Amino acid sequence: MSRRYYIAGNWKMHKTRSEAVELAKALVDGLKDGKHKYLAAPSFTALEAVGAVVKGTNVRLGAQDVAAEEQGAHTGEVSVLMLKDLGVQTIILGHSERRHTYKEDDALVNKKVKLALKHGFEVILCVGETLEERENGQAEVVCESQIIWGLAGVPKDALANVVIAYEPVWAIGTGKTATPDDADAIHAYIRKVVSRLYGADAAENIVIQYGGSVKPENVAQLMSKENIDGALVGGASLKADAFLPIAKFA
Ligand code: PEP
């Protein structure tokens, strides 16, 4: 098994450039001896400044979204070419805030996934059910469908650059966390879906992060589960003294 823990921070729409640089410096310093894989995903406006801090370190530079087109008349959008120019290595796609607040559907997410992979980026594809879907017993089927459509047309040889983040919508920013067993059950199901689509070896190797109110107090229990390979962290990624203990969980 070649899976390695991958801890990512999604800073969402927080932090000016100077605040982002301060946090990035604290992460680089605090994670110098970190054993896992790390990512910081600031807002577009702070990418260049944070990129300068993390360059050559063990903290990757991530973007929180990208346009579905390479370039053209798309007011307000940011393209893969621009992200590449800034040294971005990873793009988070299909985050529930994009899906639900900005109405991104699976077809749009899929277009972005394919474009990002074509340009050599690593993609973190977020999937997850709403509370209503969970209560209706649809958690698995929702994740399955988001994976099937999100990865439609993605060839097996591109899968090494794909990470899946299981983020139950009801657990994001709410303080509610899936129990480690519940999360692990969905992760195991996701691995089955990947196995069906790409084969057992691909399923064994794909990294599946959990996201949803991950904190220093619950990270070790979540990561102890067989199918949980890392975390995508929102709120707790905004302060070094919360993110570092998560990133360096024992
Ligand atoms: C997220 O938005 O990806 C997330 C997991 O947020 P939080 O950690 O704040 O729940």
Side-chain angles (χ1 to χ4, degrees):
M1 181 178 92
S2 64
R3 285 185 344 243
R4 192 175 157 219
Y5 286 114
Y6 188 1
I7 312 290
N10 170 11
W11 301 357
K12 306 193 183 184
M13 199 174 69
H14 294 285
K15 299 200 181 288
T16 60
R17 276 185 306 165
S18 61
E19 290 164 350
V21 163
E22 193 185 330
L23 176 57
K25 283 184 177 161
L27 298 188
V28 163
D29 192 46
L31 294 174
K32 270 199 299 268
D33 55 350
K35 291 181 181 48
H36 312 310
K37 182 174 170 182
Y38 303 116
L39 176 85
S43 62
F44 288 132
T45 57
L47 278 171
E48 186 164 19
V50 169
V53 177
V54 302
K55 192 168 184 191
T57 74
N58 61 348
V59 180
R60 298 171 66 87
L61 183 64
Q64 301 170 16
D65 189 24
V66 75
E69 303 294 337
E70 237 162 56
Q71 58 189 334
H74 299 285
T75 302
E77 293 286 275
V78 174
S79 93
V80 279
L81 305 176
M82 296 162 187
L83 296 185
K84 197 175 263 184
D85 190 40
L86 293 176
V88 169
Q89 296 156 293
T90 301
I91 308 178
I92 298 170
L93 291 172
H95 189 279
S96 65
E97 286 150 17
R98 303 292 328 162
R99 291 180 190 265
H100 296 280
T101 313
Y102 298 100
K103 309 295 175 215
E104 290 197 8
D105 60 12
D106 284 319
L108 182 63
V109 173
N110 177 246
K111 214 167 165 190
K112 293 181 177 191
V113 166
K114 286 191 290 194
L115 187 63
L117 291 171
K118 177 180 148 202
H119 284 273
F121 291 95
E122 175 183 76
V123 163
I124 298 180
L125 172 64
C126 304
V127 302
E129 81 286 358
T130 62
L131 185 57
E132 195 186 352
E133 288 163 341
R134 171 156 284 256
E135 285 171 347
N136 289 336
Q138 295 172 316
E140 290 182 345
V141 86
V142 167
C143 294
E144 178 170 7
S145 149
Q146 289 175 348
I147 289 167
I148 291 173
W149 292 111
L151 295 180
V154 171
K156 186 171 178 175
D157 63 3
L159 210 66
N161 280 328
V162 175
V163 171
I164 293 175
Y166 168 58
E167 299 206 306
V169 180
W170 49 271
I172 294 182
T174 57
K176 289 184 194 150
T177 320
T179 66
D181 284 337
D182 284 349
D184 192 51
I186 298 285
H187 282 231
Y189 188 78
I190 289 173
R191 224 177 274 291
K192 255 198 236 161
V193 173
V194 173
S195 176
R196 212 176 64 222
L197 295 172
Y198 293 100
D201 56 331
E204 181 59 29
N205 290 325
I206 197 160
V207 167
I208 308 175
Q209 296 172 324
Y210 169 79
S213 301
V214 175
K215 308 184 250 292
E217 303 77 49
N218 60 21
V219 64
Q221 260 198 315
L222 285 159
M223 296 307 125
S224 71
K225 293 293 166 186
E226 190 186 334
N227 289 292
I228 303 182
D229 309 315
L232 180 53
V233 186
S237 72
L238 295 173
K239 288 199 172 130
D241 60 6
F243 190 70
L244 288 174
I246 293 174
K248 296 174 88 172
F249 79 92

